[in-house]
Amino acid sequence: MLYSNFEENKKNNSFLYQATQAFYDNVSQDVKTIPEDLKDVILLSSFSYHLFTHLFKNFSTDISGYDYSVILDTVLSKPVLPNLKKNLLSMIRSLYDETKLDLFLEEDYLVTKYALILTLIKAQTYFEPVIKIKISTDLPLLINLRLQERIYNLFGSSYRLEFLNATDPDHGDILLTNISLPRETKDYEKVNIVYINRNLTVRNIIILSNVLYDTSKQKTTKEISSSD
């Protein structure tokens, strides 16, 4: 039923189809190319969201009552994807300016739905600053690679992580190590050093989580300042 409705709107080039195509083009061109196997899913999903905003005004949830804002606002002390919401709101306002379609005024509803779509195409960290992590330990290479994989699985959905080679002269933003390092030297004065156990502990993970959040916040503030 949804598919036939979408096809009918596409054939008539309705405002609902125009809104859907405008959003699709914006994401595909400015954020991340949408994989061909997800194209229909993204188009139908965004079409259904736009249809809902046309039929129901001032909703932040769908008919089921589920509050999708948990995608953007966590109950934890630190938000995940801190830059996603404000950039999606900016995208929605740009879409309204471009199309003048009133459905784009339903920001509270659309922002969480669009976040879901970016998550589906693994682009939810696109608006986050790149955080470079270097792992330098006395452990075997394969153990370090396993450690890198585990860290990415824990935090890769919330931060835009880039892992540096252990031999890279650049220490990045965060240096994970189990070796005592001379913090006072110039080589290490600009990097956040996080000491870890040979087996990553809960305490290690909590400390790294805090450092990632603080680093992301600092880099975001710096980017905003440089753009002013």
Side-chain angles (χ1 to χ4, degrees):
M1 184 175 177
L2 179 62
Y3 181 77
S4 60
N5 194 346
F6 172 77
E7 287 297 315
E8 185 66 22
N9 277 267
K10 180 179 180 180
K11 184 173 72 173
N12 296 326
N13 195 31
S14 71
F15 69 90
L16 287 172
Y17 174 74
Q18 291 174 29
T20 301
Q21 193 62 53
F23 167 71
Y24 182 92
D25 290 344
N26 190 294
V27 172
S28 191
Q29 294 169 13
D30 297 340
V31 179
K32 181 179 180 180
T33 301
I34 296 173
E36 194 62 32
D37 61 331
L38 291 176
K39 180 177 179 179
D40 288 345
V41 175
I42 302 302
L43 284 171
L44 289 175
S45 296
S46 53
F47 175 76
S48 70
Y49 303 154
H50 297 147
L51 176 60
F52 186 92
T53 60
H54 172 59
L55 297 175
F56 304 100
K57 304 300 181 186
N58 301 315
F59 271 72
S60 59
T61 68
D62 57 20
I63 291 177
S64 71
Y66 184 76
D67 185 0
Y68 291 90
S69 65
V70 293
I71 301 166
L72 298 165
D73 300 307
T74 177
V75 294
L76 302 176
S77 58
K78 295 179 175 62
V80 293
L81 301 169
N83 296 310
L84 179 58
K85 184 175 182 177
K86 67 180 180 182
N87 281 281
L88 283 178
L89 287 171
S90 178
M91 177 193 294
I92 293 168
R93 289 161 191 166
S94 293
L95 286 168
Y96 174 74
D97 291 340
E98 175 189 334
T99 65
K100 301 303 180 185
L101 295 174
D102 287 347
L103 64 85
F104 286 120
L105 296 175
E106 302 297 320
E107 296 178 352
D108 289 343
Y109 176 81
L110 288 176
V111 69
T112 54
K113 297 298 189 178
Y114 286 176
L116 275 175
I117 288 178
L118 261 60
T119 300
L120 181 62
I121 62 173
K122 296 181 172 29
Q124 72 272 25
T125 62
Y126 174 80
F127 300 110
E128 307 304 317
V130 174
I131 299 177
K132 296 181 179 181
I133 298 177
K134 183 176 179 180
I135 300 174
S136 180
T137 72
D138 59 5
L139 300 171
L141 174 61
L142 290 180
I143 300 298
N144 281 343
L145 291 176
R146 177 70 182 101
L147 181 60
Q148 176 179 313
E149 180 185 31
R150 188 175 178 195
I151 291 169
Y152 185 82
N153 288 339
L154 284 168
F155 300 108
S157 294
S158 299
Y159 297 98
R160 197 172 175 184
L161 305 180
E162 178 183 321
F163 289 91
L164 301 176
N165 193 292
T167 59
D168 196 315
D170 180 11
H171 295 307
D173 302 299
I174 300 172
L175 176 62
L176 299 180
T177 186
N178 65 343
I179 307 167
S180 180
L181 297 173
R183 286 177 178 266
E184 64 278 2
T185 64
K186 287 186 178 181
D187 284 344
Y188 301 106
E189 64 181 7
K190 293 183 179 179
V191 62
N192 290 300
I193 299 174
V194 177
Y195 290 101
I196 57 175
N197 297 72
R198 281 173 168 257
N199 293 315
L200 205 61
T201 65
V202 173
R203 185 171 184 275
N204 294 158
I205 293 170
I206 292 172
I207 292 173
L208 179 56
S209 175
N210 291 335
V211 173
L212 281 167
Y213 175 78
D214 291 339
T215 302
S216 176
K217 190 174 180 180
Q218 290 166 8
K219 297 192 82 166
T220 298
T221 302
K222 195 171 183 180
E223 287 178 1
I224 293 172
S225 299
S226 62
S227 64
D228 290 342

